[in-house]
Amino acid sequence: MVARDALQARLEQGIAELGLVLPGDAVPRLLDYQALLERWNAAYNLTAIRDPAEMITRHLLDSLAILPYVQGATLADLGTGPGLPGVVLAIAAPGREILLVDSNGKKVRFLREAIRALKLDGVRAVQSRVEDVEGQYDCITARAFASLADMLGWGGHLLAPDGIWLAMKGKRPDDELPGIPAGFALRGTHELSVPGLPAERHLLVIGRAHL
């Protein structure tokens, strides 16, 4: 077991490198989430990443890197898996209504336990295919779970008229840009630097195309 204080030091250093200021209770709550994920992962195989220090980098800091771009009062995290980035954003920037969507029953059971154990107000998890979810959201996050064409084809109806879609990708997906469906437009591409992660990370910001 990696000692919690070592994980805390890594997390706090990463938050500082990202230039973020989080609520006072955010770091211990993020570590509680990581510990819960690690415990459940041993039995349910929720993520391929098993090393606790790697979880800090590849799950927590990777999710926090998009925080400056998150906006609005409501957020839907599509294909959230074990809550990435949705649970991390709920802890780091509380106060918005967040819907976590995943089709995998084991992952949704974990999410419901995380919501209960971490007392995540305003957060709920649904087991559903993205195309069957209803409602409209100011911000939608999706962490590399499909191509841009598929993401927007399945979930585009969930984006509020003035909302933004934050698509988290590894390498810049130039080959996917022509597949963005009609009615949507790329607003910006941001290269993200995740502390401790040597791999490329990009965030694509998509909105509705206003005629």
Side-chain angles (χ1 to χ4, degrees):
M1 281 289 293
V2 180
R4 184 175 166 113
D5 49 0
L7 296 176
Q8 180 169 337
R10 186 175 182 132
L11 178 57
E12 288 176 339
Q13 181 184 350
I15 290 168
E17 286 181 37
L18 288 169
L20 298 175
V21 178
L22 303 186
D25 64 348
V27 166
R29 294 181 80 203
L30 286 168
L31 292 171
D32 288 347
Y33 165 65
Q34 180 274 326
L36 187 66
L37 176 56
E38 187 183 344
R39 199 158 66 242
W40 273 61
N41 200 42
Y44 293 104
N45 200 25
L46 302 173
T47 166
I49 295 168
R50 303 206 168 276
D51 177 61
E54 284 287 292
M55 283 184 171
I56 298 292
T57 301
R58 293 179 177 274
H59 288 342
L60 301 189
L61 294 175
D62 188 58
S63 296
L64 288 170
I66 72 163
L67 186 60
Y69 304 97
V70 175
Q71 65 180 44
T74 57
L75 182 145
D77 185 23
L78 308 183
T80 185
L84 303 164
V87 168
V88 176
L89 298 176
I91 294 171
R96 59 173 55 89
E97 296 288 318
I98 295 183
L99 180 69
L100 307 171
V101 181
D102 204 275
S103 60
N104 182 299
K106 285 190 298 189
K107 290 175 180 171
V108 172
R109 280 198 295 282
F110 167 75
L111 292 172
R112 288 179 175 147
E113 173 58 19
I115 290 167
R116 187 197 66 76
L118 302 169
K119 298 181 173 58
L120 299 177
D121 294 333
V123 182
R124 56 195 187 90
V126 296
Q127 182 181 348
S128 175
R129 300 185 316 162
V130 169
E131 52 266 48
D132 296 332
V133 179
E134 296 178 349
Q136 288 207 313
Y137 296 85
D138 299 327
C139 189
I140 291 178
T141 51
R143 192 175 184 242
F145 86 96
S147 69
L148 293 175
D150 284 344
M151 278 188 198
L152 291 160
W154 295 331
H157 64 286
L158 297 169
L159 188 63
D162 293 319
I164 59 163
W165 186 296
L166 302 177
M168 301 169 71
K169 293 282 187 176
K171 289 185 166 54
R172 185 186 156 111
D174 291 326
D175 56 327
E176 294 183 23
L177 299 182
I180 293 177
F184 297 95
L186 181 67
R187 298 275 176 82
T189 305
H190 305 279
E191 189 167 351
L192 302 177
S193 177
V194 178
L197 189 67
E200 277 189 71
R201 302 296 288 146
H202 286 84
L203 181 70
L204 276 64
V205 182
I206 296 165
R208 290 196 178 276
H210 296 298
L211 299 174

